[in-house]
Amino acid sequence: METEYPIVERQHAAIAGLRASFASRRVAHAYLIEGVKGAGKEAVARFFTQLLLCTEPADAMPCGNCRNCRRIREGNHPNVSDIRPDGQDIKKGQIADLIYQLNKTGIEDGRKIYIIHEAERMNASAANTLLKFLEEPEGEVTAILLTDTLSAILPTIRSRCLEIHLQPPPREQVIEQLAGEDGLTRSMASTATMVTAGPEEALELASGELFGQARKTVLKLVEASEKNIQEALLFIQTDWGLVFKEKDEAELGLDLLLFAYRDIAAVKAGLGTVLAYPDQRDQWEQLALRMTFGRLADILGAILGAKRNLHSNMNRTLLMEQLVLNMQEVRHAL
Ligand SMILES: [Zn+2]
């Protein structure tokens, strides 16, 4: 039966917590499920709703086949309500209507569940109306709030909820999504997902003006510094600073450089990981043949050192020149 719920595998820890609260008959009045877009918040909420209303649960798993399970999957169980933003926000009237419905007799026996999607978008009066309701829990009613911005949920609401934290979606899945729906190349999506936490952030970075140029510039620096030091130093003085002007841009440059050398190390080790620069695989394989693991580790250490110096407000051109020199010294020492 587990195969019917891939979310059980993907969000194992969160699901295990929910199954335990069901098995011990200690279902909370309110849950707050937090996770980035794509983490599976709705799938977790639906799984738990089925578990709570299933007529034949076994081993703290919903059966997936009973009338309740089926109606929940089809989105038409009368005891389950979904609240979503009406325009910009979730309004007081929506919460008041919900409470009225929940108090009305005439819906089916058993637990009532309401799911508030994008709960961070409740406006102040909606949140206060909900809060009053949460403070006077009556009968078998369970709230499931979903959010990707935990910091935007009122502390008074949070304190009434059991928080469930979801893992970000696997990187492969985010790359597929960005390359499919959002029209990025797989290579761009692969690099962007290395330096960001979730699909939205990755998309924002990869669609920005800086990113394509940044990626190209980093690859050129790798090429130049593997050829000769004069070329690499000249490249720092002419091109690098034009692309990575501000401090956060300089940090992005160093991160992208770090991931290039991590790729080379992964290729050398024969790891089946998804590369940050899949389009460079041939180039990385060439370089991996010429470099020892010790040398790669030293280069990675030098880049991390440069990242630290960036925060001590060192002159950034000087910092990059020193990094290129450090990377060379390492090479000549071997
Ligand atoms: Zn069932």
Side-chain angles (χ1 to χ4, degrees):
M1 200 51 69
E2 299 238 336
T3 49
E4 204 179 322
Y5 297 102
I7 196 70
V8 172
E9 293 297 318
R10 270 186 48 208
Q11 294 296 347
H12 185 78
I15 295 278
L18 293 169
R19 291 174 69 192
S21 83
F22 170 81
S24 62
R25 300 183 183 280
R26 293 172 71 164
V27 177
H29 287 288
Y31 293 84
L32 176 56
I33 300 178
E34 177 263 340
V36 298
K37 192 184 164 206
K41 294 185 289 294
E42 291 197 21
V44 171
R46 192 172 62 236
F47 170 88
F48 192 48
T49 304
Q50 283 181 320
L51 181 59
L52 292 176
L53 295 180
C54 180
T55 53
E56 318 238 1
D59 190 22
M61 288 288 288
C63 76
N65 293 317
C66 70
R67 184 154 177 258
N68 281 351
C69 281
R70 276 185 281 121
R71 284 189 298 173
I72 291 164
R73 187 164 50 240
E74 286 152 17
N76 57 18
H77 194 296
N79 286 24
V80 181
S81 318
D82 287 272
I83 305 289
R84 298 173 193 273
D86 174 15
Q88 278 301 306
D89 49 15
I90 296 173
K91 298 175 172 67
K92 181 181 176 173
Q94 291 177 269
I95 302 293
D97 283 351
L98 169 76
I99 294 170
Y100 174 75
Q101 293 296 328
L102 290 169
N103 287 331
K104 216 169 57 169
T105 50
I107 34 182
E108 290 180 23
D109 286 347
R111 190 180 291 277
K112 295 160 195 163
I113 296 165
Y114 58 100
I115 303 169
I116 303 184
H117 302 255
E118 300 179 69
E120 74 282 355
R121 288 169 68 181
M122 275 187 287
N123 65 28
S125 51
N128 282 323
T129 305
L130 177 67
L131 190 62
K132 279 198 207 104
F133 185 64
L134 290 176
E135 280 166 352
E136 303 156 1
E138 263 179 60
E140 288 201 310
V141 178
T142 299
I144 304 177
L145 281 62
L146 311 182
T147 188
D148 59 10
T149 320
L150 197 55
S151 59
I153 303 283
L154 284 179
T156 44
I157 299 257
R158 283 183 66 176
S159 69
R160 295 271 156 199
C161 298
L162 189 68
E163 288 184 13
I164 305 284
H165 303 281
L166 303 189
Q167 298 292 321
R171 207 174 136 236
E172 287 87 340
Q173 186 191 318
V174 178
I175 294 170
E176 287 302 325
Q177 185 189 332
L178 292 179
E181 293 168 25
D182 297 307
L184 291 178
T185 64
R186 279 191 63 88
S187 299
M188 288 285 268
S190 299
T191 312
T193 53
M194 287 303 285
V195 282
T196 49
E200 271 177 309
E201 217 185 303
L203 179 63
E204 196 186 326
L205 175 70
S207 348
E209 257 174 53
L210 173 71
F211 191 68
Q213 197 59 37
R215 196 178 184 278
K216 251 185 247 166
T217 305
V218 166
L219 291 176
K220 272 191 200 157
L221 179 62
V222 174
E223 198 187 336
S225 59
E226 292 309 315
K227 250 189 234 157
N228 72 64
I229 187 163
Q230 299 309 333
E231 199 172 308
L233 285 174
L234 186 65
F235 186 72
I236 293 298
Q237 286 148 10
T238 54
D239 294 48
W240 187 270
L242 293 176
V243 176
F244 303 106
K245 290 190 209 91
E246 304 301 324
K247 192 170 174 180
D248 56 338
E249 294 167 352
E251 181 154 28
L252 174 67
L254 286 171
D255 280 334
L256 291 175
L257 189 64
L258 186 73
F259 288 121
Y261 281 97
R262 277 200 189 158
D263 266 12
I264 299 170
V267 166
K268 189 169 180 64
L271 297 178
T273 48
V274 183
L275 298 179
Y277 303 88
D279 52 332
Q280 300 297 307
R281 182 175 282 277
D282 290 348
Q283 168 81 348
W284 291 167
E285 277 170 0
Q286 293 297 317
L287 290 173
L289 286 176
R290 287 165 36 197
M291 300 170 88
T292 65
F293 282 116
R295 207 161 104 187
L296 281 163
D298 286 344
I299 290 174
L300 293 172
I303 299 170
L304 289 171
K307 272 191 74 173
R308 277 193 299 276
N309 287 337
L310 189 65
H311 293 286
S312 64
N313 288 322
M314 186 177 165
N315 173 293
R316 287 199 285 272
T317 303
L318 203 63
L319 178 142
M320 286 306 297
E321 286 173 354
Q322 201 178 74
L323 172 61
V324 166
L325 286 168
N326 287 343
M327 285 162 62
Q328 298 292 324
E329 269 168 30
V330 164
R331 200 157 300 126
H332 286 290
L334 286 156

